[in-house]
Amino acid sequence: MTDFSIALWSFNLSRAPGSVEEFSSMIEEGMARAANAGADLLVMPEYAIECCLAFKPEGLEPREEMAFLASIGRQLLPHLSALSKKYDLSLLAGSMPAETRLGLTNTAFLLSPDGKVRHQDKLSLTPFEQSPDTWHLVPGSDLNIFEIKGARVAVLICLDVEMPALSCLLAKHNPDLILVPSMTEKLSGYHRVFGCARARAVELMCAVAACGTVGRSEGTTQNETNVSGAALYLPCEEEFGFTGIGAETPATDGIDKSEPFLIVNAPLKQLRSLRSGNAEVWPGNWTADHIKTVT
């Protein structure tokens, strides 16, 4: 494959569905739009499912929200699998809470037209996500590599992309593409996530595609604002125009109902050529087996 086409959808939480079926129909709008543009993959942002708090039960406590959204996710996934098959399009369905034997995780689900449902848990949770007074989530433990139409893909959810140690783990596996679904309350958070995504493209010599939630859910008790956008970052090489920015939308809070939807192409053939020794200065994969303190 020469290019891998990605649709990045910065979903606006103010859409406020009234049911699982209505939320599925909203997602189908994006699926149809991405398929019509010839995309191989549609990426939705972290916690896009939070818009379903618009129809939460009356009196639901903040610490009960994640369990409610996990139940919504269980109902939603079969609908999304059917849509993936219908449009012959892979879907990273943002992230959502999921039940595990250890507790609720923040999990991104990757659905493919052949019916496979794969997942990546968030590994680096924010203090808010772990608080027993609010969402009381537990972190995942495994970092996965997926294959989509021959592309080697990893998912780093929001804060995960800010952790260079995870990139060191990925380096030896030569990923072609890193997907970064995110949710950031302020412009500072947006710049942390997207700035680190840009750095990961340089150090891994791969494409990094990021998108985040915007707007405000009608039923939220926590996230009064969400600021984000969509972008594709590439290594800073002459072949890609020097800057490392493949495509980028301006950040928005979505209060005006704006909802960035960006179609980008990850140049897999060129990236693999650069990784094979044709980059300007990239040293290739490296490891440091020992750290010494020298006095």
Side-chain angles (χ1 to χ4, degrees):
M1 176 180 283
T2 301
D3 286 347
F4 186 85
S5 182
I6 311 158
L8 299 170
W9 187 10
S10 296
F11 190 85
N12 196 311
L13 296 180
S14 68
R15 279 174 166 262
S19 66
V20 172
E21 291 74 19
E22 190 174 345
F23 185 36
S24 178
S25 294
M26 291 175 178
I27 294 173
E28 184 168 10
E29 294 174 24
M31 294 285 283
R33 186 175 176 183
N36 289 336
D40 299 297
L41 169 69
L42 171 63
V43 179
M44 296 182 66
E46 183 181 26
Y47 290 124
I49 200 169
E50 189 183 329
C51 69
C52 293
L53 290 177
F55 61 89
K56 67 183 180 182
E58 186 175 352
L60 188 74
E61 296 290 334
R63 58 188 170 78
E64 299 172 324
E65 289 177 351
M66 291 294 98
F68 168 70
L69 291 178
S71 70
I72 297 300
R74 286 194 302 273
Q75 298 172 59
L76 179 66
L77 286 173
H79 293 274
L80 301 187
S81 286
L83 291 177
S84 179
K85 182 177 181 180
K86 176 180 178 179
Y87 290 96
D88 192 27
L89 178 68
S90 293
L91 169 67
L92 186 73
S95 76
M96 60 189 76
E99 291 182 358
T100 73
R101 62 183 180 82
L102 298 178
L104 291 168
T105 56
N106 178 8
T107 300
F109 286 92
L110 178 62
L111 303 100
S112 53
D114 61 5
K116 288 182 181 177
V117 180
R118 295 169 285 180
H119 72 277
Q120 175 63 59
D121 298 331
K122 189 174 184 179
L123 306 176
S124 309
L125 297 179
T126 66
F128 172 81
E129 287 178 299
Q130 298 179 81
S131 171
D133 296 325
T134 50
W135 285 359
H136 55 84
L137 299 177
V138 297
S141 57
D142 297 322
L143 183 55
N144 304 309
I145 296 282
F146 309 105
E147 185 169 303
I148 309 174
K149 288 191 171 183
R152 293 176 60 76
V153 180
V155 179
L156 295 176
I157 303 172
C158 202
L159 185 55
D160 285 342
V161 81
E162 299 179 36
M163 303 295 113
L166 295 178
S167 288
C168 290
L169 292 175
L170 287 174
K172 66 185 71 174
H173 299 285
N174 288 313
D176 296 307
L177 172 65
I178 308 297
L179 304 177
V180 185
S182 68
M183 170 183 269
T184 47
E185 178 186 9
K186 301 175 183 177
L187 192 60
S188 52
Y190 159 80
H191 282 294
R192 283 194 299 270
V193 170
F194 279 61
C196 289
R198 192 170 174 182
R200 301 294 86 86
V202 171
E203 67 187 5
L204 292 172
M205 194 59 65
C206 71
V208 181
C211 71
T213 45
V214 300
R216 178 188 183 277
S217 169
E218 283 191 9
T220 188
T221 58
Q222 308 295 329
N223 299 315
E224 294 297 329
T225 59
N226 291 285
V227 179
S228 199
L232 177 73
Y233 297 117
L234 299 168
C236 298
E237 297 287 325
E238 183 175 357
E239 291 89 337
F240 305 136
F242 302 100
T243 66
I245 301 174
E248 193 175 47
T249 69
T252 177
D253 61 12
I255 298 302
D256 60 357
K257 306 299 183 182
S258 58
E259 192 177 61
F261 195 101
L262 182 64
I263 304 293
V264 294
N265 288 314
L268 300 190
K269 185 176 180 179
Q270 287 177 290
L271 288 166
R272 290 168 179 171
S273 174
L274 292 168
R275 283 202 302 272
S276 70
N278 294 321
E280 186 177 350
V281 296
W282 193 59
N285 294 335
W286 56 272
T287 59
D289 294 329
H290 302 285
I291 297 177
K292 296 180 179 180
T293 299
V294 179
T295 59

